[in-house]
Amino acid sequence: MAPVTAVGAQMHALVERLYPLCRSITGDGVRATLDIVGEYVPLQVHEVPTGTQVLDWTVPQEWNIRDAYVADAAGNRVVDFAASSLHVLGYSVPVSATMPLAELRAHLHTLPDHPSWVPYRTSYYTPQWGFCLAQETLDALPDGEYEVRVDSTLADGHLTYAEHVVPGQVADEVIVSCHVCHPSLANDNLAGIAVATFLARALAERTPYYTYRFLFAPGTIGAITWLARNAERVDQVKHGLVLACAGDPGQLTYKQSRRGDAEIDRVMRHVLRSCERPHQINEFTPYGYDERQFCSPGFDLGVGSLSRTPYAGYPEYHTSADNPDFVSPEAMADTLAVCREAFGVLDRNRRYLNLSPYGEPQLGRRGLYDSLGGRSDAKQAQMAMLWVLSLSDGEHGLLDVAERSGLPFDTVAAAADALCGAGLIKA
């Protein structure tokens, strides 16, 4: 993997490239996004037809848009989809009309508290049309007649999502999920897409213990569709992480799974505490991103969510201010580094059995003490061996050892490798 600075710059470049595309829960914008991600990692793309029953939901009609605008009497576009995909209410039905400003106002959305920003609004399941614009633009519009045009289609088609699998040593899976439905919003969630993409590339550089399945899908309906289509193999999913809002300047935030004590919860708590980064651990709530679908009671998967500032926790959320300047290469690289550290712990957190459990085995005659000679952390490494031997009872994993001993996980894992090599423990 390239140095952190280079990887951060590459992720930011991906965000900038994806930013102009008009995405929604269906449509060609999603396909174009997946085409670009597919240049970085190979994807298996799935098309699920409109009307398909997925759990308690139904795959909706597909929405595509070619143009949209509000023009004044002189023909000047005062609101223009070509300038930003945020200017159109997501899933707007087609419209071609002329109306007075007084009538048009009911279809206009602004942010009075941030008069220069354009809001992001959608109407996925209620047929209507609308435009989003800056409050200062609206305030400057004179009374009069305006031409209104939304050149869109809402018709039977498909919901599109994609998977990328990094094969592991075992078939048990870790799900990494990010949503690909938002239009021009850099932090929510192009940064999550970029971190997931480069995390997949990093994992492919080695052979991980678990198989890692990356899911690039529209929010809510995409995860529900995946779960409906994979219900018979969900038992293979042992851990999971949803990535969102991964590039803003805020501190790292981990939202625990519904269980609260899933292994991914313990790993993330340990990694964030050990790396001494500013961070926050939040309890599970049934609102947020797709962790709430994976953690729904019928599935009850151990899936948490990693972000920097959580959804709706920053003023720029769901506005035009969430642009590529709002996210940084350094923040995305930091999020990526934490993911890599966490999955490194998850992959090595196995239980061992002490093969010489009666009394303390003689480490010196096995060359284990000699192997520590000259190391600055020799005392710590020795203690790690003793702790691993003590807790290798088939009931405790290496994370238990690290937490109980207060030793770094890497030191504990290295001790386990040495003891395993000497025939004193076995997985």
Side-chain angles (χ1 to χ4, degrees):
M1 199 73 178
V4 168
T5 52
V7 172
Q10 291 167 18
M11 287 190 288
H12 197 269
L14 177 57
V15 168
E16 290 181 312
R17 189 176 172 195
L18 293 172
Y19 184 74
L21 299 177
C22 181
R23 282 165 290 274
S24 191
I25 56 173
T26 62
D28 291 335
V30 174
R31 296 185 184 97
T33 297
L34 296 177
D35 284 345
I36 292 172
V37 172
E39 296 175 16
Y40 292 78
V41 292
L43 295 178
Q44 181 180 9
V45 178
H46 304 270
E47 298 276 5
V48 184
T50 295
T52 302
Q53 189 71 29
V54 286
L55 306 181
D56 195 44
W57 295 59
T58 304
V59 172
Q61 289 189 310
E62 182 177 325
W63 182 70
N64 285 294
I65 184 167
R66 286 159 293 280
D67 194 15
Y69 59 86
V70 176
D72 62 18
N76 300 308
R77 293 191 177 195
V78 295
V79 184
D80 192 356
F81 168 75
S84 171
S85 59
L86 294 180
H87 277 308
V88 175
L89 178 78
Y91 255 62
S92 279
V93 298
V95 62
S96 181
T98 300
M99 63 186 67
L101 181 60
E103 181 182 344
L104 177 59
R105 282 182 181 274
H107 298 276
L108 302 180
H109 306 271
T110 64
L111 292 167
D113 292 342
H114 297 282
S116 65
W117 297 356
V118 177
Y120 163 56
R121 298 287 185 269
T122 64
S123 183
Y124 295 142
Y125 301 105
T126 302
Q128 56 181 298
W129 61 268
F131 290 86
C132 300
L133 66 160
Q135 180 67 45
E136 61 189 21
T137 301
L138 177 58
D139 292 342
L141 294 181
D143 288 334
E145 295 289 309
Y146 288 85
E147 180 190 359
V148 178
R149 171 89 167 148
V150 176
D151 181 12
S152 65
T153 55
L154 197 58
D156 287 354
H158 296 83
L159 178 146
T160 309
Y161 71 90
E163 296 174 288
H164 170 76
V165 176
V166 180
Q169 299 171 38
V170 297
D172 290 343
E173 291 186 0
V174 179
I175 287 284
V176 182
S177 174
C178 60
H179 58 277
V180 297
C181 51
H182 286 14
S184 298
L185 299 172
N187 197 42
D188 183 22
N189 185 38
L190 296 180
I193 295 171
V195 170
T197 300
F198 279 79
L199 178 59
R201 294 178 68 172
L203 289 171
E205 292 178 355
R206 58 184 177 85
T207 303
Y209 178 72
Y210 289 108
T211 292
Y212 286 81
R213 183 176 299 273
F214 287 78
L215 179 62
F216 299 87
T220 304
I221 186 66
I224 286 171
T225 298
W226 186 88
L227 286 164
R229 300 184 73 199
N230 293 273
E232 75 288 346
R233 52 180 302 280
V234 158
D235 287 347
Q236 285 183 237
V237 178
K238 304 305 179 184
H239 319 283
L241 191 65
V242 172
L243 289 172
C245 302
D248 69 81
Q251 67 180 6
L252 286 157
T253 302
Y254 176 70
K255 176 183 173 182
Q256 299 186 119
S257 72
R258 190 179 75 99
R259 299 180 195 171
D261 62 349
E263 190 171 343
I264 188 67
D265 300 327
R266 295 182 57 216
V267 167
M268 291 303 306
R269 289 195 300 261
H270 176 80
V271 167
L272 289 171
R273 184 170 59 246
S274 299
C275 69
E276 298 182 347
R277 289 175 173 88
H279 68 275
Q280 182 173 327
I281 305 292
N282 290 343
E283 296 293 331
F284 175 82
T285 63
Y287 187 76
Y289 293 114
D290 284 331
E291 68 281 351
R292 68 191 198 273
Q293 311 306 333
F294 298 114
C295 292
S296 56
F299 294 109
D300 194 26
L301 299 176
V303 177
S305 176
L306 182 66
S307 62
R308 301 194 74 84
T309 307
Y311 58 88
Y314 51 97
E316 298 83 357
Y317 178 76
H318 280 192
T319 77
S320 57
D322 184 0
N323 57 49
D325 291 337
F326 180 62
V327 299
S328 72
E330 294 77 14
M332 285 187 283
D334 187 50
T335 306
L336 175 62
V338 168
C339 291
R340 295 184 67 181
E341 291 171 32
F343 289 160
V345 172
L346 197 63
D347 263 0
R348 292 178 291 168
N349 184 33
R350 288 191 282 284
R351 297 176 181 178
Y352 289 85
L353 186 65
N354 190 332
L355 300 178
S356 182
Y358 298 101
E360 181 181 307
Q362 191 174 17
L363 302 180
R365 71 178 175 85
R366 293 177 170 86
L368 293 173
Y369 280 152
D370 292 342
S371 68
L372 304 177
R375 286 179 51 168
S376 59
D377 63 343
K379 183 66 175 177
Q380 190 179 66
Q382 178 184 335
M383 286 302 301
M385 288 185 188
L386 297 178
W387 271 108
V388 170
L389 286 167
S390 179
L391 293 180
S392 290
D393 52 9
E395 299 295 326
H396 296 85
L398 296 185
L399 183 57
D400 295 307
V401 178
E403 290 179 337
R404 187 163 173 181
S405 67
L407 296 168
F409 183 89
D410 284 348
T411 302
V412 170
D417 288 343
L419 292 167
C420 201
L424 288 173
I425 62 173
K426 71 173 183 179

